[in-house]
Amino acid sequence: MARLRSRAFELGLAYAISREHSHRFIVFETREHRLQASLSDLNGYDPQIHDGTATGVLGLLDCFGTLGNPPNLKILERLTAKLTRAVLELQGEHGLSHPFYPFIYRQTVLTAISQAKRERLID
C-alpha cells in the first residue's frame, strides 16, 4: 500500500505543477477505470492503458513523440524479448532474484543501447 501512496503522491506533484506551469505528464495504468477508484481527483484525465503487458507498454510509446518514423512494434517486441533473456541470464550468473541491483541495471542499460544501435533505432 505504501508503494501506491508514493506513486499517488508523485502523480499529485506532477498534476499540481502542470496546473501552475507548462508541464505535461502522462498517466499509465494497467486497467481501465482503476484510476477513478484510486485517485478521484484526476477524474476527467484519461490514462494510457497498457494491460500490464510489455506489448501494451510498447504500444504506448507514441505518447512521448518521435523525431522520425516510430519504430515498428514487432522490432520493439523482438528487442524486448532479447533484453529480457539477457537480464535473466545476468541474474542467473550472479544468483540474483531481481534485475534492480545496480550492476544488473547498468548492464541492462548497456545491452539495450547496444541492441538499439544494432537495429538503427538510435545513433
Side-chain angles (χ1 to χ4, degrees):
M1 190 64 162
R3 194 178 205 183
L4 177 61
R5 281 191 211 118
S6 173
R7 289 181 185 155
F9 175 75
E10 292 161 355
L11 179 57
L13 289 175
Y15 179 73
I17 291 169
S18 76
R19 306 256 326 188
E20 299 294 323
H21 304 283
S22 179
H23 174 76
R24 186 171 162 245
F25 68 96
I26 300 169
V27 177
F28 293 97
E29 180 57 85
T30 307
R31 295 185 310 267
E32 290 187 56
H33 308 295
R34 190 168 76 162
L35 182 66
Q36 288 83 354
S38 58
L39 295 170
S40 60
D41 289 350
L42 283 176
N43 278 341
Y45 184 87
D46 294 328
Q48 303 299 310
I49 307 300
H50 55 75
D51 296 324
T53 66
T55 299
V57 171
L58 292 173
L60 295 176
L61 290 178
D62 279 354
C63 293
F64 300 107
T66 58
L67 295 176
N69 292 328
N72 181 292
L73 186 58
K74 291 294 179 195
I75 291 172
L76 294 176
E77 288 173 334
R78 189 175 71 243
L79 289 175
T80 299
K82 283 182 182 179
L83 188 59
T84 298
R85 284 191 299 274
V87 169
L88 292 172
E89 187 175 307
L90 276 169
Q91 283 178 237
E93 287 173 7
H94 296 281
L96 299 171
S97 60
H98 61 77
F100 301 108
Y101 291 95
F103 170 78
I104 300 292
Y105 183 78
R106 284 191 301 273
Q107 291 300 311
T108 300
V109 170
L110 292 173
T111 301
I113 290 170
S114 173
Q115 288 180 2
K117 284 182 177 181
R118 247 185 312 230
E119 291 288 339
R120 300 182 191 270
L121 295 173
I122 60 175
D123 294 325

